[in-house]
Amino acid sequence: MFAGERHATRGAAFALNLRLQQLLWQLIDRIPPEQRGYLQLFELTARFDMKLGILQHIVHRQERPPMLKEVDIPLHRPVCGTFFAIDDGNGCATVLLAEEY
């Protein structure tokens, strides 16, 4: 899962800068291949920390097998929205806005 070509839909490419797209793929890559589900969900929101400033908060989850991780990274312009990453089983994975699903 998620080992072949990687793409972003037009909506996801517009909403997510390249750094965030790469971060989402890295979060998927950190899951051992045998534990990766074909559907990954990312909920992005903004947070503020007195010491770190503006943060991009990412909730990363999958249903099967169950997994939930949260990450905060400093980012000047955080994105808010829900994104999916889907592996089609034929060597192609796509990140997309939830509205594009």
Side-chain angles (χ1 to χ4, degrees):
M1 291 280 165
F2 295 96
E5 294 181 24
R6 294 178 172 184
H7 304 278
T9 61
R10 184 174 293 168
F14 181 77
L16 299 169
N17 64 39
L18 189 55
R19 179 180 176 206
L20 272 177
Q21 289 180 45
Q22 290 172 336
L23 178 62
L24 298 185
W25 293 121
Q26 289 171 359
L27 291 173
I28 294 170
D29 289 340
R30 290 180 187 167
I31 302 170
E34 64 277 0
Q35 295 178 11
R36 286 183 206 152
Y38 78 95
L39 177 64
Q40 303 290 315
L41 170 72
F42 298 95
E43 295 173 16
L44 281 64
T45 56
R47 284 195 175 174
F48 181 77
D49 182 272
M50 292 297 287
K51 292 181 182 177
L52 300 173
I54 300 170
L55 301 172
Q56 177 71 70
H57 181 70
I58 302 170
V59 176
H60 176 202
R61 71 179 81 214
Q62 67 180 20
E63 286 188 18
R64 304 226 185 250
M67 185 275 308
L68 173 75
K69 292 185 181 178
E70 295 188 41
V71 177
D72 287 314
I73 60 164
L75 194 63
H76 182 65
R77 293 184 183 174
V79 174
C80 293
T82 302
F83 298 84
F84 295 119
I86 301 172
D87 186 294
D88 70 0
N90 293 316
C92 185
T94 306
V95 66
L96 60 148
L97 291 165
E99 297 85 28
E100 296 176 308
Y101 183 67

